Amino acid sequence: MTDDPPDWEFSERDMYILRELSADPQRSSRELADLLASEYGIDVSHVTVSESIREMRDADVFRETIVPNEELFNFALFEFKFNPEHFADSWHDAMVSIRDDCHTLFYFLSDGEYQWKSVMMFPSRTAESRWIHDFYKEHGDVIQNVRNSVVHNVLKFKTDPELFTELDGERS
């Protein structure tokens, strides 16, 4: 991941392709080409659609990842508060440890008292507790506190196709 937005000029076709892939990620380029023609009046070959998808993927316009069904794992929100006394010496190793951990689904930085946050997945609450224990043993000098919240009753777990219509002129 980079800090820079993708260098991409969105065509109307690109936005429709992203919308339709978001609605059904399993759609083939042939199905997408047919949909573009019937729903949006855009006549392109499936090869052109396939090339557009590949180019957008290569330009980091979207990322693909496998996200397991939320019933298979326990999800948790982790928030990390720093110990400023040891931050300068140890922050990088702790950050990489969280980022690269197999349990981390989503990792981000934010403002406030708890500046690192991650959504993590564990096969059981016992495994989650063991992870916290091991993390403190390894990185306790830089982390003053780990606040974790159980994520239950996931009510929405998808990107709405309509979101991609906001790319038309709304980028800042």
Side-chain angles (χ1 to χ4, degrees):
M1 282 194 227
T2 67
D3 292 337
D4 300 321
D7 183 20
W8 190 263
E9 291 292 324
F10 286 94
S11 69
E12 185 178 33
R13 180 185 71 210
D14 295 337
M15 287 185 279
Y16 289 136
I17 288 171
L18 290 172
R19 282 184 67 180
E20 295 304 331
L21 279 176
S22 179
D24 183 357
Q26 300 303 314
R27 283 196 173 120
S28 71
S29 57
R30 285 187 195 278
E31 290 172 309
L32 287 167
D34 292 343
L35 233 150
L36 289 172
S38 65
E39 296 290 320
Y40 305 106
I42 299 173
D43 189 27
V44 293
S45 72
H46 73 278
V47 173
T48 300
V49 170
S50 183
E51 287 174 1
S52 292
I53 293 169
R54 182 185 48 76
E55 289 171 1
M56 284 191 283
R57 184 184 301 118
D58 290 348
D60 254 357
V61 170
F62 68 94
R63 296 180 179 96
E64 293 177 300
T65 188
I66 294 175
V67 179
N69 183 300
E70 62 272 16
E71 297 300 323
L72 296 175
F73 288 91
N74 294 317
F75 286 73
L77 172 65
F78 278 62
E79 300 172 287
F80 301 86
K81 182 178 179 179
F82 303 130
N83 177 350
E85 183 181 346
H86 300 285
F87 184 79
D89 297 329
S90 305
W91 72 269
H92 187 264
D93 289 344
M95 180 192 71
V96 168
S97 177
I98 298 164
R99 184 194 66 200
D100 294 349
D101 192 278
C102 68
H103 300 97
T104 301
L105 171 67
F106 192 67
Y107 181 44
F108 56 99
L109 309 179
S110 69
D111 59 358
E113 196 174 7
Y114 288 78
Q115 293 184 356
W116 292 351
K117 297 182 179 168
S118 64
V119 175
M120 302 182 84
M121 306 176 299
F122 297 92
S124 67
R125 295 292 172 219
T126 302
E128 180 179 343
S129 293
R130 189 176 327 110
W131 187 93
I132 293 169
H133 175 80
D134 291 344
F135 185 79
Y136 270 123
K137 279 176 46 179
E138 182 73 24
H139 302 287
D141 60 333
V142 71
I143 301 299
Q144 184 172 335
N145 190 36
V146 174
R147 183 166 61 187
N148 64 312
S149 305
V150 173
V151 175
H152 56 85
N153 294 336
V154 176
L155 302 174
K156 182 175 180 177
F157 204 65
K158 69 175 198 161
T159 301
D160 283 322
E162 293 78 20
L163 179 67
F164 293 103
T165 60
E166 295 181 14
L167 291 173
D168 189 23
E170 290 293 325
R171 298 188 65 212
S172 56

